[in-house]
Amino acid sequence: NAGVTQTPKFRILKIGQSMTLQCAQDMNHNYMYWYRQDPGMGLKLIYYSVGAGITDKGEVPNGYNVSRSTTEDFPLRLELAAPSQTSVYFCASRGGSSGNTIYFGEGSWLTVV
Amino acid sequence: AQSVTQPDIHITVSEGASLELRCNYSYGATPYLFWYVQSPGQGLQLLLKYFSGDTLVQGIKGFEAEFKRSQSSFNLRKPSVHWSDAAEYFCAVGDTGGGNKLTFGTGTQLKVEL
């Protein structure tokens, strides 16, 4: 059981470039989330989805976009990368037999230079 | 809005000593409460959770936490710390409405002295 899978694990972007962080879960979870983690700040919610076709903003959505065309996938897109988006990004999911427990992927380390 | 405070940024304990990590939350109703652990360069692993019922919850790796409504606290404890427990620990509160979004504290970095 793969759980929550994030790709890539590491990426360096130049300012102004675009990229997509991929997230997939194989647990048939309805709820999916994207968080970013900055040193000393804990994790902040970027976007979340309660099911296919439904997305909503979290605490820090500016500079990001998401889509949820299938239950399994929840990609996070950065359109014009900025140094402030240098962070560690975590995808997570919840649902089914996991109840209210949220399970996290292993993270994607992004550096914008 | 919900919030979580972890007042201790860094804690150092000797191996074999007891441990208590503090967590205070703000939420308008009975919350869902979680403790996660993160080793360097790794993702978050769930240690334990509280949804309802018994206020003392047991988790993995010998950890436990006690929900105290009157103090709005959910402190994490371990009677005897092992060197492998060195990591960063995050307390989180989940809203019980739609989405069950987690709000995290800023984390406590645990160092274990041998």
Side-chain angles (χ1 to χ4, degrees):
Chain A
N1 188 349
V4 180
T5 303
Q6 294 181 232
T7 56
K9 187 146 179 105
F10 300 98
R11 182 73 186 269
I12 298 175
L13 274 183
K14 293 184 178 179
I15 294 171
Q17 285 186 322
S18 300
M19 76 157 298
T20 299
L21 297 176
Q22 301 291 344
C23 176
Q25 52 90 10
D26 61 359
M27 298 173 282
N28 200 33
H29 286 173
N30 287 327
Y31 296 87
M32 295 189 75
Y33 311 84
W34 274 106
Y35 287 87
R36 60 176 286 172
Q37 182 181 27
D38 301 299
M41 299 294 291
L43 283 79
K44 302 289 187 184
L45 182 65
I46 305 172
Y47 270 96
Y48 68 101
S49 169
V50 301
I54 306 169
T55 62
D56 209 344
K57 295 178 180 179
E59 187 178 358
V60 290
N62 291 343
Y64 305 95
N65 279 299
V66 294
S67 60
R68 186 90 184 274
S69 57
T70 67
T71 298
E72 294 78 20
D73 301 299
F74 191 42
L76 177 72
R77 183 148 181 90
L78 286 70
E79 290 293 348
L80 291 171
S84 61
Q85 294 177 303
T86 294
S87 189
V88 184
Y89 293 85
F90 287 98
C91 181
S93 72
R94 171 180 85 86
S97 60
S98 81
N100 293 310
T101 300
I102 296 178
Y103 292 96
F104 286 82
E106 294 192 345
S108 296
W109 275 252
L110 176 66
T111 301
V112 182
V113 297
Chain B
Q2 61 205 55
S3 65
V4 176
T5 301
Q6 293 181 248
D8 303 305
I9 299 174
H10 297 98
I11 282 185
T12 300
V13 299
S14 299
E15 189 176 37
S18 63
L19 172 70
E20 183 169 28
L21 301 182
R22 296 183 291 166
C23 172
N24 292 98
Y25 68 90
S26 174
Y27 188 69
T30 300
Y32 296 150
L33 294 162
F34 304 82
W35 274 100
Y36 286 86
V37 60
Q38 184 181 35
S39 297
Q42 301 296 313
L44 283 83
Q45 181 181 23
L46 180 68
L47 282 177
L48 48 78
K49 60 195 177 189
Y50 171 79
F51 294 155
S52 64
D54 193 346
T55 56
L56 183 63
V57 294
Q58 303 296 322
I60 62 171
K61 304 183 180 185
F63 286 93
E64 66 178 27
E66 186 171 12
F67 169 58
K68 292 186 177 180
R69 184 190 304 274
S70 62
Q71 298 177 20
S72 297
S73 69
F74 189 57
N75 294 347
L76 182 71
R77 300 194 295 250
K78 187 170 184 177
S80 178
V81 170
H82 188 263
W83 64 266
S84 61
D85 292 325
E88 189 155 23
Y89 292 79
F90 292 95
C91 181
V93 60
D95 71 64
T96 56
N100 191 22
K101 304 175 291 295
L102 285 182
T103 299
F104 284 84
T106 51
T108 297
Q109 187 71 45
L110 174 64
K111 179 180 177 181
V112 180
E113 292 182 332
L114 300 177

